Amino acid sequence: MNLSGLQIFKFLPGAKKTEHANCKECGCPTCMAFAIKLAQKQVSYERCKYMPEELKKLCLKNIKPPQKTINIDGLNIGGENVLYRHEKTFVNKTIFAVMLDCKDKDFHEKLERIKSFEINRINERLKVDLVILKNDKNYKINNLCDETVYIREEEFLKLSLIKIEDNNFKNTSKKLKTIREKAIIGRDEKYSNPVYVHFKHNKNLYELCARAGYYLCKYTNMLVFEDFDESLFATLMTLRQNIYTDPQKPLQVKSKIYEFNNPDENSMVFMTTNFALTFFAVANELENLNIPSYLIVTPAEGMSVLTAWSAEKFTAQMVAKTLKKFDFKNKVKTRKIIIPGLLAHMKEELEEVLPDFEIIIGTIEAYSIGDFIKKLA
Ligand code: SF4
């Protein structure tokens, strides 16, 4: 199990009030500060020369990752340290693999579909991660270079992975939970290899998608399918992208002034924060409306508009600073800025710091921008 700062502290001279308590030799102001840093793996246990042997042994056990990482040509599988993403973060996203039988009469057609499958979502290009070639004798794997990794089945089977055949949902989900808990909480070596679920041919896409989605959440490191279906992969990739973001690093885009449909000095001006999901929702609408416009994206540490405002990351002063930075006043003749509907209460404050602009309260949802513009015209 992972030791908390308090658990570590109890062993240290500071807690025991013995010699060297809070001596600062480790570079930390107190033993408590050192304990917290050690729990967060920001310092090595070796920095404290006065640590008892008992704690050293616990630290050594803790240093070893509870789950191993298997690498196939740069593709990492496993290596997880936590049960739940909010505890810290997940390390390597669940891999989506397709097992293709080279003797299958549709082999080439399936391979072509896999190679051409690609979705772009929130600045990320998503492709099938891994193709496992079954019954392959002559296929030249090196000639298949694209972002997808290819491996022969016999090589794949040699990897130290725990395989679960998905015959029964209850059994599979129970096995996945047990293995992950034994690895992470129990730190049991026997369960430290990454786990994958193998789906046999299944024509019921709904069932396949529901099961795969559940196992993706809890707790498979890889899903192997014997069929390839674009809609299934697109759905699972969208779910995975939501799970495998680092909660400590919000998805964000660059703060700048974005242009849509060749705007000129008289075009409409919108504003939002640099939270990626908000940005893409607004940007897609503006792009598809075919109306020339600007979108001012203010820096807000990747927070959504209301969160940013609550955390004082979206203030009138910051908006003014962003406009000044990009010399926006001299770039456009437009003197109206449309702000998100959720920030209606900021209208007066914004008008005070931006006396040259009229602030217009826009929509709460991005999908209403089209109707809003029609009414504005
Ligand atoms: Fe405490 Fe050890 Fe750091 Fe000294 S070196 S302050 S005893 S943790």
Side-chain angles (χ1 to χ4, degrees), residues 284-334:
N284 284 344
E285 283 300 317
L286 295 180
E287 183 121 51
N288 293 332
L289 281 171
N290 257 335
I291 296 170
S293 59
Y294 294 99
L295 178 60
I296 303 166
V297 172
T298 57
E301 295 179 17
M303 292 180 194
S304 59
V305 282
L306 217 47
T307 315
W309 171 76
S310 319
E312 297 190 358
K313 302 289 177 197
F314 188 98
T315 62
Q317 280 71 22
M318 277 176 191
V319 172
K321 213 168 140 188
T322 306
L323 293 189
K324 201 172 168 197
K325 183 178 166 192
F326 296 110
D327 192 25
F328 198 64
K329 195 174 137 190
N330 296 321
K331 193 173 175 180
V332 295
K333 282 187 183 159
T334 317

Side-chain angles (χ1 to χ4, degrees), residues 162 164 175-183 191 195:
I162 302 171
I164 301 176
K175 276 185 199 165
L176 284 169
K177 187 170 181 289
T178 309
I179 293 170
R180 182 67 68 92
E181 283 177 354
K182 285 198 186 273
Y191 298 92
V195 186

Side-chain angles (χ1 to χ4, degrees), residues 96 209 212-213 216 223 225 232-240:
F96 298 150
C209 189
L216 168 61
L223 293 166
F225 300 89
L232 174 73
F233 270 66
T235 308
L236 292 175
M237 282 171 173
T238 305
L239 175 62
R240 180 180 68 180

Side-chain angles (χ1 to χ4, degrees), residues 268-285:
M268 301 186 98
V269 182
F270 292 81
M271 178 182 286
T272 190
T273 68
N274 67 340
F275 177 44
L277 292 182
T278 308
F279 170 80
F280 283 106
V282 177
N284 284 344
E285 283 300 317

Side-chain angles (χ1 to χ4, degrees), residues 12-13 20 22-26 30-31 34 47-48 50:
L12 295 174
H20 308 295
N22 303 320
C23 68
K24 301 185 179 61
E25 284 179 40
C26 56
T30 59
C31 291
F34 173 79
R47 294 258 293 265
C48 173
Y50 313 109

Side-chain angles (χ1 to χ4, degrees), residues 85 90 213 216-217 238-246:
R85 188 185 73 148
F90 288 145
L216 168 61
C217 296
T238 305
L239 175 62
R240 180 180 68 180
Q241 199 183 35
N242 283 294
I243 297 168
Y244 281 85
T245 50
D246 186 342

